[in-house]
């Protein structure tokens, strides 16, 4: 009995901190988010726009959330296939979005590039409707 109590005591905080379902995360993401370099607008139609534009014409694309991960795609000018980034969502609230890049594939990605391991934090720039 004591072992069961300890197991429950250790598991309950993890359950309480679990992320909401993908549909809720998607609703929370819609809006404009500010980072130190760009503002990114995630639209309800599943598209995103970057302002100011990034190098390589990486200014817009598509997004979706699957299994608590943000998946973004875009196509560089002159390329015939999309690039994809998968970010682990660590925290997503009305005002804060914390994530970490876990994979990135596609044209334009330098060979041997090591993905950053840090957590990126952005803040909501505009109010949600």
């Amino acid at each position: 009995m004591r072992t069961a109590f300890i197991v429950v005591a250790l598991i309950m905080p993890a359950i309480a901190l679990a992320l909401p379902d993908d549909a809720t995360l998607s609703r929370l993401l819609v809006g404009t988010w500010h980072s130190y370099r760009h503002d990114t607008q995630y639209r309800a139609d599943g598209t995103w726009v970057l302002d100011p534009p990034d190098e390589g014409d990486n200014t817009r694309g598509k997004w979706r959330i699957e299994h608590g991960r943000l998946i973004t795609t875009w196509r560089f000018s002159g390329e015939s296939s999309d690039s994809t980034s998968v970010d682990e969502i660590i925290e997503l609230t009305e005002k804060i979005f914390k994530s970490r890049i876990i994979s990135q594939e596609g044209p334009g990605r330098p060979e041997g590039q090591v993905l950053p391991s840090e957590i990126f934090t952005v803040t909501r720039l505009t109010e949600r409707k």
Side-chain angles (χ1 to χ4, degrees):
M1 179 70 169
R2 186 174 179 172
T3 302
F5 177 75
I6 292 171
V7 169
V8 169
L10 293 172
I11 292 175
M12 289 308 288
I15 293 171
L17 293 174
L19 289 172
D21 61 63
D22 291 348
T24 301
L25 289 171
S26 295
R27 282 190 298 277
L28 282 168
L29 186 64
V30 171
T32 303
W33 295 88
H34 177 71
S35 72
Y36 69 97
R37 287 178 43 199
H38 305 283
D39 293 339
T40 305
Q41 181 185 47
Y42 293 94
R43 298 175 176 167
D45 66 358
T47 60
W48 61 266
V49 177
L50 195 64
D51 184 37
D54 205 357
E55 295 176 24
D57 300 322
N58 178 13
T59 60
R60 61 185 64 245
K62 296 182 180 182
W63 69 271
R64 67 185 186 282
I65 294 179
E66 291 181 3
H67 309 294
R69 294 178 173 174
L70 172 62
I71 302 165
T72 56
T73 59
W74 64 93
R75 184 166 297 181
F76 288 110
S77 294
E79 295 293 342
S80 59
S81 61
D82 291 340
S83 293
T84 302
S85 180
V86 179
D87 293 26
E88 172 189 16
I89 297 172
I90 297 167
E91 179 182 359
L92 180 53
T93 68
E94 295 284 333
K95 298 181 184 216
I96 300 290
F97 175 34
K98 292 182 182 182
S99 65
R100 174 187 348 243
I101 300 169
I102 56 176
S103 73
Q104 208 170 44
E105 299 175 356
R109 182 171 186 267
E111 190 171 323
Q113 177 185 19
V114 177
L115 295 174
S117 62
E118 73 257 20
I119 295 173
F120 297 95
T121 302
V122 295
T123 54
R124 187 174 300 279
L125 187 63
T126 57
E127 293 297 317
R128 294 180 57 230
K129 294 179 182 178

